[in-house]
């Protein structure tokens, strides 16, 4: 049985750690159905603009296991995966996504900040266009996830 709430809360805690290390306040982890952590990652925008936390976690998990083995894994994120990250999740084979902060709520926090030009495209819409189903859970714990961003985008 997946502990979605517990893993999403862990992603939120990791996002605070990401911020403390000077990164954008986002974090993600990939967890196997048996509870093994396959990958965890922060946002690394200073290295590469495509190094969102979700993409970094997908890359790490995909290096360990093939897509067929990732079908029962879940990607947990402190914020809803953007369209780019949703595409990466799809191509990786990961079968489930659970997130805290919605893209819509994130936009109210970041506004038009040049380092986070939010795409107004929910991950559910991106993932629904694929040829295989991906379960999406969220948003959850939005207030806690939003608190990590307080003052960051000012």
């Amino acid at each position: 049985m997946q502990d979605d709430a517990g893993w999403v809360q862990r992603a939120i805690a990791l996002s605070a750690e990401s911020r403390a290390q000077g990164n954008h306040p986002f974090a993600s982890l990939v967890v196997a159905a048996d509870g093994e952590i396959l990958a965890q990652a922060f946002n690394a925008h200073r290295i590469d603009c495509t190094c969102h936390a979700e993409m970094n976690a997908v890359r790490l998990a995909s290096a360990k296991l093939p897509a067929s083995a990732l079908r029962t894994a879940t990607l947990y994120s402190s914020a809803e995966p953007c369209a780019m990250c949703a595409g990466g999740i799809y191509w990786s084979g990961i079968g489930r996504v659970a997130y805290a902060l919605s893209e819509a709520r994130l936009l109210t926090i970041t506004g038009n900040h040049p380092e986070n030009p939010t795409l107004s495209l929910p991950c559910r819409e991106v993932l629904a266009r694929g040829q295989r189903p991906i379960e999406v859970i969220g948003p959850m714990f939005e207030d806690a996830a939003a608190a990590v961003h307080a003052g960051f985008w000012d």
Side-chain angles (χ1 to χ4, degrees), residues 2-16 26-31 74-81 96-102 136-146 148:
Q2 301 281 351
D3 177 19
D4 293 332
W7 289 116
V8 168
Q9 288 173 325
R10 182 166 179 162
I12 294 168
L14 287 171
S15 71
F26 300 103
S28 185
L29 55 157
V30 178
V31 180
T74 303
L75 180 132
Y76 295 98
S77 185
S78 62
E80 181 173 1
R96 298 176 79 239
V97 173
Y99 65 88
L101 188 62
S102 69
V136 179
I137 298 128
M140 54 177 39
F141 308 112
E142 279 198 286
D143 290 340
V148 178

Side-chain angles (χ1 to χ4, degrees), residues 14-100:
L14 287 171
S15 71
E17 192 176 325
S18 180
R19 179 179 178 168
Q21 291 184 17
N23 301 307
H24 288 171
F26 300 103
S28 185
L29 55 157
V30 178
V31 180
D34 67 1
E36 176 189 357
I37 296 173
L38 301 173
Q40 65 181 34
F42 298 147
N43 179 289
H45 74 284
R46 290 189 181 124
I47 295 170
D48 178 337
C49 64
T50 66
C51 285
H52 291 191
E54 298 90 342
M55 290 297 291
N56 292 336
V58 163
R59 286 181 186 112
L60 291 169
S62 295
K64 289 182 181 179
L65 295 172
S68 59
L70 290 172
R71 294 211 194 299
T72 59
T74 303
L75 180 132
Y76 295 98
S77 185
S78 62
E80 181 173 1
C82 72
M84 174 187 70
C85 293
I89 292 162
Y90 175 78
W91 288 109
S92 75
I94 291 170
R96 298 176 79 239
V97 173
Y99 65 88

